[in-house]
Amino acid sequence: MKLQQLRYVWEIANHDLNVSATAESLYTSQPGISKQVRMLEDELGVQIFARNGKRLTHMTAAGEVIVEMARDVLYDVENIRRAAEEYSNERRGNLAIATTHTQARYALPPVIEAFRAEYPEVALHMNQGTPEQIARLAETGEAEFAIATEGLEHFNNLIMMPCYRWTRTVVVPNDHPLASKPSITLQDVADQPLVTYVFGFTGHSRLDEAFLAAGYEPNIVFTATDTDVIKTYVRLGLGIGIIATMAYDPEQDNDLTAIDASHLFRPSVTYIGCRKGTFMRRFMLDFVSLFAGHLTDELVRAALATSNRTRREALFKDVELPVR
């Protein structure tokens, strides 16, 4: 059994059993991958993938177990590499982050700037996606950290730590009737066509929760994953926008009026997480601390060492989260 063979079966599973796409992603040949997988199956005495001719159709029951174990082996190998790099050159390496557009555009720039000043030899990689995509990237080791607000049901295999609370703002063109109101009600918002985040993104569930509790049905006419896109369509007159407060820039968005909506919708919490068993390099701990100052080395290590979710959540019970 070779490590390369385990990587091949894991990557095939990761590419929806498409051997051609797997070969392309690994910069190798399709026949070479197929041969190595067959050799592994012969050695183990079981089929990992069921076939119809040359096409893989599904994973066998044994294959599902083997692929999951292969993932764990590959992740342990990656941890060994990280540990070796930490002792050979603690200030050099790679750090991949998976997050949403709002975090990447508005929350992370000062963190990235400070991190780069401290660790100029660490290459940073940013991946943006849905909560499901973000979780998958962190689970497979393609990203060291996942940063997200919603869809936490996708993050069961990750250690998620609370970073900050954030509130919402309604944005309208400066000549909109709501712009002159000193305060708005939930009914004011429900009476308007709404432009906001896609369901499952950036606190959308908090909106649904507030409208449902008040007996209103929101008129959502346009959704997007990108806050800048939301503001663009507010400018076009499609409706009023509901965005994260931190995503409103008084200078760049001076053609829009920001109206506080923190009294209408409960704050959401943004989390940072990584896969269980991750070897935390010094620069990884420092990145977490830059993003959320209350997440000290000791607290992060305690969270990683706690397998029970309830006990892990208790670690953060008395932590006062900042509000953005």
Side-chain angles (χ1 to χ4, degrees):
M1 185 186 307
K2 300 176 183 176
L3 191 62
Q4 182 191 54
Q5 293 170 331
L6 298 181
R7 186 173 301 281
Y8 285 166
V9 297
W10 167 244
E11 290 293 343
I12 288 171
N14 232 16
H15 286 84
D16 298 321
L17 308 190
N18 187 324
V19 180
S20 179
T22 301
E24 186 176 339
S25 72
L26 295 175
Y27 303 101
T28 188
S29 70
Q30 182 175 340
I33 289 181
S34 297
K35 179 182 178 182
Q36 289 298 322
V37 171
R38 284 288 196 186
M39 288 174 64
L40 178 60
E41 289 177 324
D42 289 343
E43 180 181 348
L44 296 176
V46 295
Q47 272 198 324
I48 298 172
F49 303 106
R51 296 164 174 82
N52 183 1
K54 292 185 177 181
R55 186 172 64 88
L56 304 185
T57 57
H58 62 275
M59 275 192 290
T60 64
E64 290 179 2
V65 174
I66 291 167
V67 166
E68 288 302 306
M69 295 179 75
R71 180 192 68 178
D72 292 340
V73 168
L74 293 170
Y75 201 79
D76 287 341
V77 169
E78 179 63 17
N79 271 339
I80 292 171
R81 185 188 63 77
R82 287 195 187 114
E85 287 177 344
E86 181 67 11
Y87 289 98
S88 63
N89 191 336
E90 64 179 18
R91 304 189 66 81
R92 179 179 294 175
N94 292 277
L95 181 60
I97 301 151
T99 189
T100 62
H101 167 268
T102 300
Q103 301 296 329
R105 171 68 177 81
Y106 297 102
L108 283 168
V111 177
I112 298 295
E113 184 178 29
F115 183 84
R116 285 289 299 160
E118 180 64 25
Y119 292 100
E121 292 186 274
V122 174
L124 285 162
H125 311 278
M126 187 82 73
N127 302 280
Q128 296 178 48
T130 65
E132 185 176 6
Q133 291 167 335
I134 292 166
R136 185 169 176 270
L137 287 167
E139 285 178 355
T140 59
E142 294 174 73
E144 278 72 39
F145 291 125
I147 300 174
T149 295
E150 285 214 357
L152 294 182
E153 68 275 7
H154 298 298
F155 295 81
N156 289 328
N157 292 325
L158 303 179
I159 305 294
M160 300 299 290
M161 299 169 285
C163 299
Y164 63 87
R165 300 182 189 278
W166 56 268
T167 59
R168 289 162 188 76
T169 288
V170 170
V171 289
V172 299
N174 291 336
D175 59 355
H176 192 280
L178 291 184
S180 58
K181 294 193 69 169
S183 181
I184 60 173
T185 66
L186 195 60
Q187 183 169 359
D188 289 329
V189 177
D191 287 343
Q192 299 289 328
L194 302 181
V195 182
T196 190
Y197 300 110
V198 171
F199 180 78
F201 254 83
T202 320
H204 189 117
S205 64
R206 287 287 192 262
L207 307 187
D208 297 336
E209 176 186 276
F211 287 123
L212 182 63
Y216 297 128
E217 186 169 345
N219 178 23
I220 298 176
V221 298
F222 186 89
T223 61
T225 61
D226 184 322
T227 308
D228 292 333
V229 171
I230 291 171
K231 289 186 285 189
T232 294
Y233 285 92
V234 170
R235 292 182 174 103
L236 290 176
L238 260 70
I240 67 173
I242 304 177
I243 63 173
T245 298
M246 62 183 165
Y248 176 80
D249 187 317
E251 293 184 6
Q252 294 185 8
D253 300 323
N254 58 17
D255 57 336
L256 299 175
T257 296
I259 307 169
D260 178 37
S262 60
H263 60 295
L264 303 180
F265 309 106
R266 285 200 301 131
S268 290
V269 177
T270 291
Y271 294 80
I272 187 169
C274 59
R275 193 175 184 274
K276 297 172 184 177
T278 295
F279 178 83
M280 296 291 283
R281 296 192 61 184
R282 176 70 261 163
F283 64 72
M284 293 170 68
L285 289 165
D286 286 347
F287 179 88
V288 173
S289 179
L290 284 169
F291 188 62
H294 61 278
L295 293 179
T296 61
D297 294 1
E298 293 76 17
L299 192 53
V300 171
R301 288 192 171 111
L304 288 170
T306 305
S307 57
N308 183 280
R309 184 171 182 173
T310 302
R311 285 200 289 268
R312 187 165 61 246
E313 289 174 350
L315 294 172
F316 306 103
K317 185 178 64 173
D318 299 323
V319 173
E320 188 68 30
L321 298 181
V323 179
R324 296 183 183 178

